[in-house]
Amino acid sequence: MSVDVLHLAINFIQSQENDQLKAHFRQALVPVSAEVAHLIEQLHLAYNGKPAKGYASFHPEQQSRLAEPLERWQQQELSYLQLAEHATQELVLQLVQHQIPESGYFVFCHYRYLASEYLLVTLLGSKDHFSVTADLQLSTDRHLDIARMQLAARLDLTEYQSSPEQQKYISFIRGRAGRKVADFFLDFLGCEEGIVAKDQSKMVLASVEEYLAASDYDASEKTDVRKQVYQYCEEQAKAGLDVHLDELSSTIDSNDARAFSHYCAEQNIAVPDQFPVDVKELKTLVKFAGSGGGVSISFEQKHLGERVKYDMDRDLLIIQGVPPNLKDQLQRFLKGFSSFDRQADES
């Protein structure tokens, strides 16, 4: 993996005793080095790995928040440092208005990965790390908490320039439930949500299952196709890339790479040429799982109709061949643990 860091600005947002926020500005850009490149690679991978993302585009009535300053920077009317300062001030304003008392290091990075340029915007917290020196003294240090990155968004500058009409050149992490992080970042960036990855994923799931139902594949072949589709979508999502219809079609049928795309066209299934996916929505391609009322169940999709049968009329799930460790626990409980102990002693 190779990330080419072009500009990096880091400012600090401090939470004060009166619940106010204060921005501390670094007076120069961070010099690019091997350590900086490694940091941005880690942020790039961590961001790609976040499963719940939204996709958006700039709102025409909120251009002053980021779109206009961004355009002025691209026209060299603003320096990158000035652009970062403007974004930091806007972030503080929105944090206060949304009553989100977050503090931390505001990372504003312009980098290139493969053929695309990105603008990554994130507010990172920090955590203490402990170590022991050679003379057995305890040492502490503070590190950026990349693993817990929640307040983050990324602008695909290349797509923004080439195809803004797709309305998905901005992505953002939806964040923890109840935090309204999605609304907060939409306001901060001055944008509105466009393509919903969850809806696109449901469409993929439905169209693949319809295609398989109309095909002459046997059960084993259908299972293999589902796994291949899931693996392809998962790999694209982890890499931060869209799913491409032509690649998806060739994944489904390597002998006829356009069979699936032709089927979608014939059935008037509106699958775009490329689109983001939410991998969690595609899990049922390979596994069923659910929990509620103190019961949690999961099993591979291929077992439905064989080892696992579902009676919809009676809402009854029948499992043949209970997993050995679960079977042992159930028998011990129902027959009495002491009887098993006595059997062990007799043997």
Side-chain angles (χ1 to χ4, degrees):
M1 177 180 179
S2 178
V3 168
D4 185 12
V5 180
L6 303 175
H7 302 90
L8 174 61
I10 299 179
N11 297 319
F12 182 65
I13 298 177
Q14 179 184 20
S15 179
Q16 299 179 308
E17 293 182 357
N18 57 359
D19 291 333
Q20 295 298 309
L21 297 174
K22 181 179 180 180
H24 299 267
F25 298 97
R26 179 185 168 92
Q27 298 306 307
L29 296 179
V30 178
V32 177
S33 63
E35 290 77 12
V36 166
H38 183 62
L39 167 64
I40 303 307
E41 283 183 1
Q42 294 301 306
L43 289 175
H44 177 81
L45 290 172
Y47 185 84
N48 287 348
K50 295 294 182 179
K53 294 191 186 75
Y55 295 85
S57 59
F58 288 125
H59 193 291
E61 297 179 1
Q62 298 177 350
Q63 298 285 303
S64 62
R65 295 186 178 173
L66 186 60
E68 288 180 357
L70 179 66
E71 184 177 350
R72 291 180 61 196
W73 166 64
Q74 291 178 317
Q75 294 176 352
Q76 299 184 342
E77 296 176 6
L78 281 182
S79 68
Y80 189 82
L81 189 65
Q82 290 173 319
L83 176 64
E85 288 180 357
H86 171 88
T88 306
Q89 292 168 342
E90 186 63 39
L91 176 62
V92 170
L93 177 63
Q94 294 300 327
L95 282 168
V96 172
Q97 290 186 358
H98 284 78
Q99 298 182 338
I100 300 178
E102 292 283 351
S103 60
Y105 297 91
F106 182 63
V107 178
F108 196 77
C109 183
H110 173 214
Y111 68 97
R112 182 184 297 111
Y113 176 66
L114 298 179
S116 297
E117 288 189 22
Y118 297 98
L119 198 62
L120 178 65
V121 183
T122 181
L123 183 64
L124 293 175
S126 58
K127 60 187 299 186
D128 290 329
H129 284 251
F130 301 90
S131 60
V132 178
T133 64
D135 57 353
L136 302 182
Q137 297 296 317
L138 186 64
S139 174
T140 63
D141 201 358
R142 296 190 67 80
H143 295 259
L144 294 175
D145 195 358
I146 296 175
R148 297 183 62 187
M149 177 171 58
Q150 289 292 332
L151 299 178
R154 186 170 64 191
L155 169 60
D156 187 329
L157 291 169
T158 302
E159 184 173 333
Y160 178 48
Q161 294 294 329
S162 63
S163 52
E165 71 281 354
Q166 293 189 21
Q167 299 184 321
K168 61 179 181 64
Y169 47 82
I170 297 173
S171 63
F172 58 94
I173 299 174
R174 290 195 177 278
R176 299 180 292 272
R179 293 291 304 277
K180 296 185 178 179
V181 177
D183 292 342
F184 159 71
F185 250 92
L186 289 176
D187 287 343
F188 160 56
L189 298 169
C191 62
E192 57 184 350
E193 191 163 6
I195 289 178
V196 180
K198 183 179 292 188
D199 293 343
Q200 299 291 323
S201 303
K202 290 179 178 178
M203 176 190 60
V204 169
L205 181 62
S207 58
V208 168
E209 289 298 338
E210 287 181 22
Y211 176 78
L212 291 177
S215 71
D216 55 0
Y217 291 151
D218 61 29
S220 177
E221 290 172 329
K222 289 180 180 179
T223 296
D224 290 341
V225 168
R226 292 185 181 103
K227 285 183 178 179
Q228 292 164 6
V229 169
Y230 181 79
Q231 289 171 357
Y232 164 69
C233 292
E234 185 180 40
E235 289 171 0
Q236 292 297 103
K238 285 183 177 180
L241 301 173
D242 287 347
V243 166
H244 292 258
L245 178 58
D246 55 349
E247 295 176 352
L248 179 63
S249 186
S250 62
T251 298
I252 293 173
D253 191 338
S254 58
N255 294 322
D256 187 353
R258 298 187 60 81
F260 175 71
S261 56
H262 285 158
Y263 174 82
C264 291
E266 291 170 357
Q267 300 298 318
N268 294 319
I269 302 174
V271 181
D273 290 336
Q274 66 180 78
F275 50 90
V277 293
D278 185 342
V279 178
K280 291 192 300 182
E281 293 297 320
L282 298 174
K283 270 287 188 181
T284 54
L285 284 168
V286 292
K287 179 179 287 188
F288 293 109
S291 61
V295 176
S296 297
I297 297 175
S298 68
F299 57 92
E300 293 182 19
Q301 197 270 354
K302 65 181 180 181
H303 293 313
L304 184 63
E306 297 179 359
R307 286 185 59 189
V308 182
K309 296 182 173 62
Y310 177 52
D311 186 333
M312 288 189 290
D313 295 332
R314 294 188 294 169
D315 194 23
L316 181 65
L317 197 67
I318 302 172
I319 302 175
Q320 294 177 322
V322 177
N325 56 347
L326 176 58
K327 180 178 180 179
D328 181 66
Q329 295 173 58
L330 294 173
Q331 289 181 347
R332 284 177 178 272
F333 179 80
L334 294 173
K335 293 183 178 181
F337 286 85
S338 60
S339 65
F340 278 83
D341 296 334
R342 286 196 297 272
Q343 291 173 12
D345 292 338
E346 292 172 356
S347 62

